Amino acid sequence: MNNSREILSMNLKYYRQKYNLSQEKFAEKVGSNLVYINELENCKRKPTIEMLDKIAEGMNKNIDRKLKMTASDLLKYDKTHRTTFNRIYERK
């Protein structure tokens, strides 16, 4: 894993799975939109530093206040963040 986009993708998927959030709910909580989060998770978009800050801040405020996430944390490789991701359905 040597590409920062791949690392970001892996970390976003990991945290969404950890907190059982769909891309839509995750985007809402971090102040983004579904398309943008989907493109980040699929390595199709380069995030700006400002957006990484916004995602990290949104995760800290709206997902888990104990995280103390920073933009640089989103780009750190952690082999334990690999996921076998299943689709999360929130509509009932």
Side-chain angles (χ1 to χ4, degrees):
M1 178 89 33
N2 57 5
N3 181 322
S4 60
R5 280 194 214 178
E6 291 172 353
I7 294 168
L8 175 63
S9 169
M10 180 182 69
N11 286 334
L12 291 177
K13 289 175 187 176
Y14 170 80
Y15 285 109
R16 279 198 319 101
Q17 184 178 34
K18 180 177 179 179
Y19 294 101
N20 199 36
L21 297 169
S22 66
Q23 284 182 337
E24 185 176 17
K25 278 293 183 189
F26 183 82
E28 181 182 306
K29 290 184 177 285
V30 299
S32 185
N33 65 61
L34 171 63
V35 173
Y36 191 82
I37 295 299
N38 180 276
E39 289 175 346
L40 289 178
E41 286 192 7
N42 289 296
C43 301
K44 293 180 180 176
R45 181 171 277 209
K46 294 179 193 177
T48 62
I49 296 297
E50 291 80 16
M51 184 49 97
L52 290 175
D53 286 336
K54 185 176 180 178
I55 291 170
E57 184 179 323
M59 290 175 69
N60 293 334
K61 288 182 179 178
N62 302 318
I63 295 175
D64 186 347
R65 293 181 186 270
K66 297 178 208 164
L67 274 177
K68 305 293 186 229
M69 182 70 60
T70 65
S72 62
D73 292 332
L74 291 171
L75 298 174
K76 288 181 183 170
Y77 178 71
D78 183 337
K79 66 182 177 183
T80 65
H81 285 190
R82 291 203 177 269
T83 60
T84 53
F85 206 72
N86 297 321
R87 186 170 292 274
I88 296 172
Y89 293 99
E90 292 183 329
R91 294 188 176 107
K92 295 181 181 188

